[in-house]
Amino acid sequence: MSSLATKLKGRSELGVALLLGAAGGLVLWDAAGLVTPYSKSDPVGPKTVPYLVAGLLIVCAVMLAINVLRGGHGEAEGGEDVDLTHPADWKTVLPLVGAFVANILLIDWAGWVIAGTVLFWGSVLALGSRRYVRDGLISVALSLLTFYGFYLGLGISLPAGLLEGIL
Amino acid sequence: MDVFTSLMDGFATALTPMNLLYAVIGVILGTAVGVLPGLGPAMTVALLLPVTSVLEPTSAFIMFAGIYYGGMYGGSTTSILLNTPGESSSVVTAIEGHKMAKAGRAAQALATAAIGSFVAGTIGTTLLAVCAPIVVKFAVSLGSPSYFAIMVLSLLAVTAVLGSSRLRGFASLGLGLAIGLIGMDSVTGQRRLTFGQPLLTDGLDIVVVAVAIFAVGEALWVAAHLRRTPLNVIPVGKPWMGKQDWKRSWKPWLRGTAFGFPFGALPAGGAEIPTFLSYVTEKRLSKHPEEFGHGAIEGVAGPEAANNASAAGTLTPLLAMGLPTNATAAVMLAAFTGYGIQPGPQLFESQGPLVWALIASLFIGNFLLLIINLPLAPLWAKLLQLPRPYLYAGILFFATLGAYSVNLQAFDLVLLLVLGALGFMMRRFGLPVLPLILGVILGPRLEGQLRQTLQLSAGNPAGLWSEPIAVGIFIIVAIILVWPLLLKLWRRSRPQTAMASTGGSDGTGTANGTDVLPEDAAAELPADNVTTPAEHAYSNNEPVHSRRRQEKP
């Protein structure tokens, strides 16, 4: 038991293998549920490719699991603004996701201008800016500009929501 | 003659004031996103897809072409002034370019990059105009078995050749193909992977997938590892070159072009291998080999030319056969489909004016890049100082806007978040993004060709190799697949070289344990012997990547 625990420690990448396996299983299960009579004009049918894809995913899942257990690991991606020397900073990511979710919940009901403002303001705050007033003004301006830009320039009317009639 | 007249017609279309305006917008936008961290040309084109749907296809593609070339150029600015290449294709530029900048020669480095890009882009586009019709002539003779084989090849090549771990490449491809399956099957009308959800019946919008993986995934990933220390940008004036610089630059430009174009045109050729080959060649041929590693102008001129020439090369298979070989081309392919234009050999036939206007706009875009960017270089350098919270909040904001405006439904935003989380996970665990995107875009087309092939052969699998071209391509596919095995055997017989090239091909990706400093990696890289290009790519893949990924603290 404890040897298993030590083996699993620091092997979060096994989660990737699990995800691949689950995705493969899902594709397999879905394809098996399709009912199609054999047709001469379509000998391949809608099932063949899903089966192949499921196979690929499951094989990858197994091989990745073996690879990870043997000590292999994927390289995290770098970039201009990426500093891999510190661990993942969930205190930034989670509020950011929160702002995103708030936007999803608000967009149909409150409209793009409000939802967009919440998204941008929340994201900037989550990413560490502390100039609340300036950030707020920029958020409102950006949302309004895109709202009217899309409406006038592209003929796409984003939802006005609560501000219906004012905008 | 025929090409020439068509091209002149293309210029006539592209030079109308409106289209010229879109070219200028594209070039400026492209350079800006090339310079800005976290944004690339593929993501930008994806974000703009919904916006451009109200434009004429010709105008939209003229703008996309500007973004594509501009992005290539912008990447070099970051490499030179910051030493942190954003795109893997500008990794090599950073080696000498940043040294030049440190030595006070940033202006010359930027100038040789800009002018070299112009020269290479112009030659590359000319080659595209000449080659594409020839490729089309060849491509129209191909049947669905050959197409099937070519698509398999390009998917496999991108998956197996690029990137440091083949296994992770295939995992990414599998996920992409699975995403591509979602929706109604075009032949039988069966719903696949929709889970009874009517919103999934039409499949996932490629805009949503691309924006999620490129933009949202990237923003979340950077947010988790945001560099809190300010970056050290080297200030720069207006780029210029002295007589000596011109003398030392023009040959590398031409040689770089010669490397870049053919590699760009190959499936999975990409820009990494030719930029690297160009660097090695220039180091060999230089009269000042001692300057390499301390800021040799040839080391900027050659790779930058190779980079841009490969960008032009990439468009050859895209326009002539409908085959994307990199992320930007893949998104452009999605754009073609969005306009109801079927990419493939018929494209030149059915959309001749559009294609030639696009090619003409590449020439124009190149020229615009040169005259706009030489004076604007100091401005671009300033752009690098943009506060990061605004940059990444802005990426999320526009990603949401772009994805939402396609169908105006909040459900797409849920997908955006879920796939964004997938993009985050892929970056965390080293799964390459490109195979996934190509899988989503090419998967359904691949399936279509497969079914058509077997329909013609009445279900006999032998129909798959009923064309000689298809047989030839399947042999290449087989070679790509067994290549690592052959390499292992070969290494065993030559133990000396074995150490130098572990990791690149065995799929374990374990070679990153070494703490190679960028300088060391750079100094060691060119020391290897050039064998064949492919072999070279293998033996150097890992160091190049680790250089990209392990920045200076």
Side-chain angles (χ1 to χ4, degrees):
Chain A
M1 208 40 205
S2 64
S3 77
L4 184 72
T6 46
K7 250 190 175 175
L8 288 177
K9 206 180 168 199
R11 296 264 191 271
S12 52
E13 207 177 344
L14 283 175
V16 181
L18 203 66
L19 179 86
L20 290 171
L26 198 65
V27 174
L28 193 68
W29 170 77
D30 182 79
L34 296 175
V35 216
T36 35
Y38 178 80
S39 142
K40 228 182 184 167
S41 64
D42 182 27
V44 177
K47 290 176 153 196
T48 314
V49 174
Y51 280 140
L52 292 175
V53 173
L56 174 68
L57 281 168
I58 291 169
V59 168
C60 281
V62 172
M63 283 177 68
L64 190 66
I66 295 172
N67 179 288
V68 172
L69 288 176
R70 277 184 180 170
H73 57 93
E75 261 179 274
E77 194 181 273
E80 286 106 326
D81 287 338
V82 173
D83 179 5
L84 292 174
T85 49
H86 64 79
D89 177 9
W90 296 108
K91 273 187 202 148
T92 305
V93 178
L94 292 179
L96 204 58
V97 172
F100 200 99
V101 172
N103 174 60
I104 298 177
L105 296 176
L106 283 173
I107 198 160
D108 282 335
W109 171 68
W112 167 253
V113 177
I114 293 174
T117 304
V118 169
L119 172 66
F120 191 84
W121 205 350
S123 305
V124 172
L125 284 180
L127 287 162
S129 177
R130 287 293 170 265
R131 298 177 173 181
Y132 305 101
V133 180
R134 193 179 82 172
D135 297 345
L137 290 176
I138 292 176
S139 310
V140 175
L142 208 55
S143 307
L144 279 172
L145 269 177
T146 43
F147 182 84
Y148 282 111
F150 267 62
Y151 182 67
L152 300 172
L154 303 167
I156 299 173
S157 36
L158 297 164
L162 289 180
L163 301 176
E164 185 94 57
I166 303 170
L167 293 169
Chain B
M1 169 61 206
D2 195 25
V3 167
F4 186 73
T5 41
S6 312
L7 189 59
M8 284 302 121
D9 288 344
F11 270 108
T13 317
L15 281 173
T16 55
M18 241 7 231
N19 284 342
L20 206 56
L21 179 69
Y22 284 117
V24 173
I25 295 175
V27 163
I28 292 179
L29 209 58
T31 314
V33 301
V35 171
L36 282 174
L39 280 158
M43 188 205 288
T44 315
V45 174
L47 274 178
L48 284 173
L49 282 183
V51 180
T52 48
S53 59
V54 293
L55 296 180
E56 286 277 303
T58 316
S59 308
F61 280 102
I62 284 172
M63 189 156 85
F64 292 160
I67 292 172
Y68 187 37
Y69 275 18
M72 291 283 165
Y73 174 84
S76 69
T77 308
T78 330
S79 291
I80 292 168
L81 298 182
L82 209 59
N83 196 27
T84 49
E87 289 83 35
S88 49
S89 52
S90 41
V91 166
V92 179
T93 309
I95 302 175
E96 298 298 324
H98 190 64
K99 290 274 163 57
M100 281 182 76
K102 267 192 182 155
R105 280 170 47 80
Q108 285 81 356
L110 287 175
T112 199
I115 302 168
S117 297
F118 170 72
V119 171
T122 307
I123 299 175
T125 311
T126 311
L127 287 172
L128 165 69
V130 175
C131 292
I134 301 171
V135 178
V136 168
K137 267 194 197 118
F138 161 76
V140 283
S141 67
L142 300 178
S144 43
S146 299
Y147 261 97
F148 177 73
I150 290 172
M151 284 181 185
V152 170
L153 172 68
S154 63
L155 274 184
L156 278 185
V158 166
T159 308
V161 177
L162 302 179
S164 51
S165 165
R166 288 160 65 103
L167 173 58
R168 287 168 181 82
F170 278 110
S172 167
L173 177 68
L175 290 172
L177 291 172
I179 293 172
L181 283 176
I182 297 174
M184 194 144 73
D185 171 40
S186 57
V187 182
T188 60
Q190 291 269 354
R191 279 153 204 224
R192 294 191 293 198
L193 293 170
T194 60
F195 312 107
Q197 174 65 257
L199 289 169
L200 286 173
T201 311
D202 290 333
L204 298 192
D205 204 298
I206 188 65
V207 173
V208 176
V209 179
V211 168
I213 298 287
F214 287 127
V216 179
E218 178 79 12
L220 292 178
W221 173 240
V222 175
H225 292 276
L226 193 60
R227 193 189 298 275
R228 299 293 178 186
T229 48
L231 290 162
N232 184 22
V233 182
I234 295 174
V236 66
K238 202 178 158 181
W240 60 277
M241 288 206 299
K243 202 176 163 200
Q244 196 59 29
D245 298 320
W246 280 95
K247 227 169 142 184
R248 288 175 59 177
S249 289
W250 72 271
K251 279 187 206 157
W253 289 339
L254 296 182
R255 284 192 288 259
T257 309
F259 279 122
F261 186 83
F263 271 96
L266 287 176
E272 291 161 46
I273 300 166
T275 47
F276 194 75
L277 284 178
S278 162
Y279 182 83
V280 177
T281 313
E282 295 315 327
K283 194 180 177 190
R284 279 258 163 99
L285 296 175
S286 172
K287 285 185 190 131
H288 314 270
E290 75 286 351
E291 277 188 29
F292 272 79
H294 305 284
I297 195 165
E298 293 93 337
V300 180
E304 266 311 298
N307 184 3
N308 263 52
S310 93
T314 304
L315 293 174
T316 312
L318 177 70
L319 294 177
M321 309 179 76
L323 268 189
T325 54
N326 67 21
T328 316
V331 181
M332 280 169 83
L333 182 83
F336 275 120
T337 330
Y339 279 112
I341 298 168
Q342 203 49 51
Q346 306 84 9
L347 190 68
F348 272 79
E349 195 71 13
S350 61
Q351 298 286 339
L354 167 72
V355 175
W356 287 108
L358 176 63
I359 293 176
S361 78
L362 291 174
F363 283 108
I364 297 167
N366 242 313
F367 182 67
L368 288 174
L369 272 176
L370 188 69
I371 57 166
I372 290 177
N373 283 333
L374 282 181
L376 284 188
L379 192 76
W380 296 133
K382 283 225 179 67
L383 202 56
L384 282 171
Q385 313 276 19
L386 184 75
R388 295 309 185 246
Y390 291 130
L391 175 63
Y392 291 102
I395 291 176
L396 280 179
F397 181 85
F398 284 104
T400 308
L401 183 61
Y404 185 73
S405 63
V406 185
N407 301 317
L408 297 180
Q409 57 195 22
F411 180 68
D412 280 344
L413 296 183
V414 177
L415 289 177
L416 195 67
L417 186 60
V418 171
L419 292 172
L422 180 68
F424 177 92
M425 185 215 78
M426 292 173 74
R427 284 172 174 82
R428 164 68 182 81
F429 293 109
L431 265 63
V433 175
L434 182 57
L436 181 135
I437 294 291
L438 281 184
V440 176
I441 292 175
L442 281 186
R445 287 161 41 95
L446 190 73
E447 187 183 14
Q449 297 289 357
L450 174 71
R451 287 163 91 163
Q452 203 178 337
T453 304
L454 290 184
Q455 188 189 332
L456 293 174
S457 70
N460 184 354
L464 286 175
W465 43 89
S466 60
E467 288 184 15
I469 304 271
V471 176
I473 292 167
F474 280 128
I475 291 171
I476 298 174
V477 167
I479 292 173
I480 290 177
L481 285 178
V482 298
W483 181 248
L485 214 68
L486 291 178
L487 209 67
K488 245 179 219 166
L489 291 175
W490 183 73
R491 268 189 220 140
R492 224 165 264 167
S493 60
R494 288 184 55 184
Q496 260 97 18
T497 51
M499 290 315 289
S501 51
T502 41
S505 55
D506 59 5
T508 55
T510 49
N512 65 340
T514 51
D515 283 316
V516 189
L517 285 168
E519 266 76 12
D520 296 343
E524 273 167 31
L525 280 178
D528 289 338
N529 286 323
V530 184
T531 46
T532 64
E535 161 60 20
H536 201 79
Y538 267 108
S539 56
N540 290 297
N541 232 349
E542 197 60 41
V544 171
H545 278 274
S546 59
R547 182 180 150 71
R548 181 185 166 211
R549 285 168 183 160
Q550 297 173 356
E551 317 284 12
K552 257 197 253 184

